[in-house]
């Protein structure tokens, strides 16, 4: 054998840092911007694009812009004496309308409180370092919607019937003189109905699953009825707030109400639908598929039209549903169907071994899904989920066609003011509206990217 | 090797009450089909408590399916399977009970990648046994020490080597304090230098007196710890014997052929 075939290592090489020439900005520019001829061409094209797009925008929105004034004359080139860009005083003049719609001026503090409270609860929820996430989530998803609802509408709904009342038993309940802020008829009805439901659930559980199941069934009813009572109580009590009809709401308020409620409803509902679609129970599966395919197959504008103009024809005489609520439900159901398909994509990517691992340690279907499968599946489809959220946020503008004035609607209404009819009003308005939408959507996008990065770092392979 | 009273037993390994059934697992005329394919054909088997069985056979012989039927990851269509005195039927409650008593390790570990090693181990005790978090963590650390990776407790499965992951999987199963452990080719997906660390863990577990069913082709392991070796082919038990006799003097032609191919 020659000496080349035999080798025994006699040294051990310690790891060293990479050579310096691999780092540094000059090196980076050469490698990424000017490496090859196509790269140079692309770099030049990019620079040209920036040159074409950025200076005119800066010119229009900043340099030539008018910043103050009280009416259209401030923004007319003839009166100003130089070419006029964006007419910002128009925005300042209309800002209240854009933020609150026709919400009564004296009550606007309520909207402000809702905005502030929302920001105050949302911020610590998305910042990773802040503790008490569970409590925070309960406050944001459980308590905040009720508080916001009462503040925005004014509450004091004067509830009259619960289940038994609708069945015609209300004559049996005691009547207390008017002037008491909550309705005794309603609450007697509520308590009796709850007891009846609990008894019914307990009875069914006993027949189906034996006496051991009774406690669980009663507890389930209680966990639904007690929080519901708190919600209804909040809605029923007279806090002395002036009622504000939803047709007075508008602008950013409506955009946020529709988007936030659509987002918070569509995710959990979409998850349930996705699980339903993969269920082995035929009835659940068929219902989920029908629901998803129906809402996916119908344009959102049709849904809104139907909810607004057709639904009242099918409702019994005298029964009305709030216009905004109808649009909200339509948007939420629509978004849920889309969300379901995104989540299903994530569920399908989870290997069978994960289910088997979970089952083998004794987890039942519920905990298996909640603790093992869904956390992984949802993480995989964060880009899709946020994509849906962003789409939903922008789709809210479609409520314009059923005469609900969201941010864009309020803006278009503001255009009709002859006081501010100038050549650049339109561009200023759309530019401003676009900026607002962009800020929200870009925020969601950045948050989703940060979230993905964080989750990836935690479980790097 | 019967359970040796001289070996110090791990006190945390499942309590075997004196009145517990002597028979751990009983299979009577078990049949299973995948569609038209008859994968288990009239399998009869009785495993007594503390016994360690090694099941081998060519791929597709039904050995994995057999042990997966024991904790109902697969459903059998004919015959009876009685685990720890509980007969497996469609009754979800019984399936839950059996799964609580039977731990399982898989070829590909099936750890939960989004949870830390410690969380992997505490998940089932907390959610199935309703154990308080502190207690579950103490239990998990005990078993992680047993499989010799307590210092990795806060890492994620993806950061561990295959051998370490499989040992975590064993610890995770033990945290439910099962009376029976099933192993489905636990070393087949491992790099050669990691096989031994997993086998050592399993040997130690055997010495603690755990009832074990292992589908494996590690014949050294079979010789060292098994009470019985079972050879399966075409969905049936072809031959069963104590390990020495099985390896030195196989009776059935099919067994002889199989052994000649795996023992070079």
């Amino acid at each position: 054998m020659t000496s080349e075939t035999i080798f025994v290592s006699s040294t051990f090489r310690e790891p060293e840092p990479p050579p310096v020439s691999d780092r540094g900005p000059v090196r980076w520019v050469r490698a990424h911007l000017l490496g090859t001829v196509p790269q140079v061409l692309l770099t030049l094209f990019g620079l040209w694009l920036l040159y074409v797009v950025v200076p005119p925008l800066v010119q229009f929105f900043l340099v030539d812009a008018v910043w103050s004034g009280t009416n259209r004359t401030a923004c007319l080139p003839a009166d100003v004496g130089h070419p006029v860009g964006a007419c910002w005083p128009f925005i300042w003049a209309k800002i209240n309308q854009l933020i609150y719609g026709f919400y009564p001026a004296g009550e606007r503090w309520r909207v402000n409180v809702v905005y502030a409270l929302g920001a105050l609860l949302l911020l610590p929820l998305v910042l990773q370092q802040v503790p008490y996430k569970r409590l925070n989530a309960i406050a944001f998803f459980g308590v905040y919607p009720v508080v916001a609802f009462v503040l925005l509408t004014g509450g004091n709904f004067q509830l009259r019937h619960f289940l038994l009342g609708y069945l015609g038993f209300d004559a049996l309940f005691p009547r207390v003189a008017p002037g008491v802020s909550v309705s005794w008829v309603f609450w007697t009805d509520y308590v009796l109905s709850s007891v009846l439901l609990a008894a019914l659930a307990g009875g069914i559980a006993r027949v189906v699953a034996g006496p051991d199941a009774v406690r669980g069934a009663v507890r389930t009813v209680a966990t639904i009825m007690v929080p519901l009572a708190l919600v209804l109580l909040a809605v029923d009590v007279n806090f002395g707030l002036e009622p504000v009809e939803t047709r007075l709401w508008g602008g950013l308020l409506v955009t946020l109400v529709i988007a936030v409620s659509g987002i918070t409803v569509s995710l959990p509902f979409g998850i349930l639908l996705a699980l339903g679609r993969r269920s082995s129970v035929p009835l659940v599966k068929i219902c989920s598929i029908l629901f998803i395919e129906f809402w996916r197959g119908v344009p959102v504008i049709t849904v809104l039209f139907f909810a607004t103009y057709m639904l009242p024809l099918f409702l019994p005489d005298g029964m009305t549903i709030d216009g905004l609520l109808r649009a909200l439900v339509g948007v939420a159901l629509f978004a849920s169907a889309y969300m379901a398909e995104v989540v299903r994509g994530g569920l399908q990517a989870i290997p069978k071994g994960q289910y088997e691992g979970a089952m083998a340690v004794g987890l039942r279907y519920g905990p298996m899904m909640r603790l093992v499968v869904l956390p992984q599946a949802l993480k995989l489809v964060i880009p899709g989920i946020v994509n849906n959220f962003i789409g939903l946020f922008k789709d809210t503008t479609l409520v314009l066609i059923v005469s609900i004035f969201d941010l864009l609607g309020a803006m278009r209404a503001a255009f009709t003011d002859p006081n501010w009819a100038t050549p650049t009003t339109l561009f200023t308005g759309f530019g401003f509206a676009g900026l607002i939408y962009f800020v929200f959507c870009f925020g969601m996008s950045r948050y989703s990217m940060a979230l993905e990065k964080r989750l990836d770092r935690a479980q790097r392979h | 090797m019967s359970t040796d009273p001289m070996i110090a037993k791990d006190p945390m390994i499942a309590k075997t009450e004196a009145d517990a059934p002597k028979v751990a697992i009983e299979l009577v005329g078990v049949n299973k089909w995948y569609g038209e394919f008859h994968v288990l054909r009239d399998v009869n088997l009785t495993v007594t408590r503390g016994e360690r069985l090694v099941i081998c056979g060519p791929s597709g012989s039904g050995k994995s399916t057999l042990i997966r039927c024991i904790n109902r990851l697969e459903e059998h269509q004919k015959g009876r399977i009685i685990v720890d005195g509980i007969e497996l039927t469609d009754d979800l409650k019984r399936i839950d009970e059996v799964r609580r008593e039977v731990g399982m390790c898989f070829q590909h570990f099936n750890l939960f990648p989004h949870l830390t090693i410690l969380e992997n181990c505490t998940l089932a005790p907390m959610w199935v046994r309703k154990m308080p978090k502190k207690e579950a963590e103490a239990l998990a650390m005990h078993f992680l020490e047993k499989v010799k990776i307590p210092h990795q407790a806060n890492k994620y499965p993806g950061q561990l080597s295959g051998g370490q992951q499989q040992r975590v999987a064993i610890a995770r199963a033990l945290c439910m304090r099962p009376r029976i452990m099933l192993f489905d080719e636990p070393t087949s997906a491992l790099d050669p230098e990691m096989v031994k660390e997993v086998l050592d863990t399993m040997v130690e577990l055997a010495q603690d007196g755990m009832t074990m069913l292992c589908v494996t082709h590690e014949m050294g392991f079979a010789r060292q710890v098994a009470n019985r070796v079972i050879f399966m082919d075409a969905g049936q038990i072809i031959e069963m014997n104590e390990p020495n006799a099985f390896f030195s003097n196989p009776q059935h032609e099919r067994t002889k052929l199989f052994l000649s191919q795996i023992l070079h």
Side-chain angles (χ1 to χ4, degrees), chain B residues 108-119:
Chain B
H108 296 289
F109 330 133
N110 296 355
L111 293 175
F112 308 133
H114 62 302
L115 300 177
T116 63
I117 300 307
L118 188 65
E119 288 164 343

Side-chain angles (χ1 to χ4, degrees), chain B residues 151-162:
Chain B
H151 41 280
Q152 314 274 27
N154 291 316
K155 286 193 181 168
Y156 286 87
Q159 296 166 302
L160 268 55
S161 73

Side-chain angles (χ1 to χ4, degrees), chain A residues 353-354 356 359 364 371 458, chain B residues 68 96 99 110-111 113-114 156:
Chain A
Q354 289 294 307
E356 290 179 352
M359 286 192 281
R364 287 183 161 202
L371 303 166
Chain B
R68 287 158 61 85
D96 282 341
R99 284 183 183 160
N110 296 355
L111 293 175
H114 62 302
Y156 286 87

Side-chain angles (χ1 to χ4, degrees), chain B:
Chain B
M1 191 186 80
S2 63
T3 16
D4 187 343
M6 295 303 286
I7 293 166
K9 296 226 184 96
D10 184 338
M12 304 295 263
I13 296 276
K15 56 300 167 181
T16 309
E17 298 89 358
D19 59 343
K22 200 96 187 82
V23 176
I25 303 167
E26 194 176 3
L27 281 74
V28 184
V30 172
N31 279 275
K32 175 170 177 62
W33 289 263
Y34 286 132
E36 291 292 304
F37 180 55
H38 199 171
V39 60
L40 291 180
R41 307 179 194 171
D42 197 32
V43 174
N44 291 286
L45 180 66
T46 304
V47 183
T48 50
R49 196 160 290 287
E51 239 193 327
R52 293 169 298 281
L53 261 62
V54 162
I55 304 168
C56 59
S59 71
S61 60
K63 50 196 195 310
S64 283
T65 307
L66 178 69
I67 69 164
R68 287 158 61 85
C69 280
I70 291 170
N71 68 350
R72 196 69 170 193
L73 287 183
E74 303 284 356
E75 214 171 294
H76 62 286
Q77 283 121 346
K78 233 173 104 186
R80 302 174 66 196
I81 299 179
I82 300 146
V83 182
D84 213 41
I86 306 160
E87 176 162 6
L88 278 169
T89 61
D90 286 334
D91 187 352
L92 288 176
K93 230 174 176 173
R94 292 190 188 185
I95 296 174
D96 282 341
E97 261 175 80
V98 165
R99 284 183 183 160
R100 263 180 297 210
E101 303 305 334
V102 179
M104 183 159 187
C105 293
F106 301 85
Q107 182 177 2
H108 296 289
F109 330 133
N110 296 355
L111 293 175
F112 308 133
H114 62 302
L115 300 177
T116 63
I117 300 307
L118 188 65
E119 288 164 343
N120 263 279
C121 294
T122 56
L123 188 76
M126 282 169 64
W127 288 93
V128 181
R129 293 235 190 262
K130 311 287 177 203
M131 199 182 275
K133 190 174 179 195
K134 281 258 159 61
E135 203 178 310
E137 283 180 350
L139 187 70
M141 285 315 289
H142 172 87
F143 285 118
L144 286 176
E145 265 158 41
K146 188 177 180 66
V147 301
K148 302 188 180 61
I149 27 184
H151 41 280
Q152 314 274 27
N154 291 316
K155 286 193 181 168
Y156 286 87
Q159 296 166 302
L160 268 55
S161 73
Q164 289 173 322
Q165 289 193 49
Q166 192 60 288
R167 284 184 284 147
V168 171
I170 294 173
R172 176 178 75 176
L174 289 178
C175 281
M176 282 297 284
R177 308 190 59 187
R179 300 184 193 183
I180 299 162
M181 283 286 287
L182 308 174
F183 292 87
D184 189 2
E185 306 207 27
T187 56
S188 313
L190 296 177
D191 287 341
E193 53 180 341
M194 291 164 187
V195 170
K196 189 174 177 299
E197 62 186 55
V198 172
L199 289 181
D200 285 349
T201 309
M202 290 166 65
V203 170
E204 202 187 322
L205 197 59
Q207 287 166 349
D208 281 326
M210 176 66 76
T211 309
M212 292 163 69
L213 267 77
C214 313
V215 172
T216 182
H217 294 135
E218 295 294 334
M219 292 309 153
F221 172 78
R223 275 180 203 277
Q224 193 182 350
V225 304
N227 305 89
R228 277 190 282 168
V229 179
I230 291 172
F231 175 70
M232 281 185 77
D233 190 25
Q236 45 218 306
I237 295 178
I238 301 289
E239 191 164 345
M240 172 160 69
N241 208 335
E242 57 92 20
N244 280 329
F246 179 87
F247 290 115
S248 60
N249 190 18
Q251 302 294 310
H252 198 281
E253 282 309 312
R254 193 69 195 79
T255 320
K256 287 178 191 166
L257 181 66
F258 178 75
L259 287 177
S260 74
Q261 276 162 345
I262 62 163
L263 307 170
H264 326 281

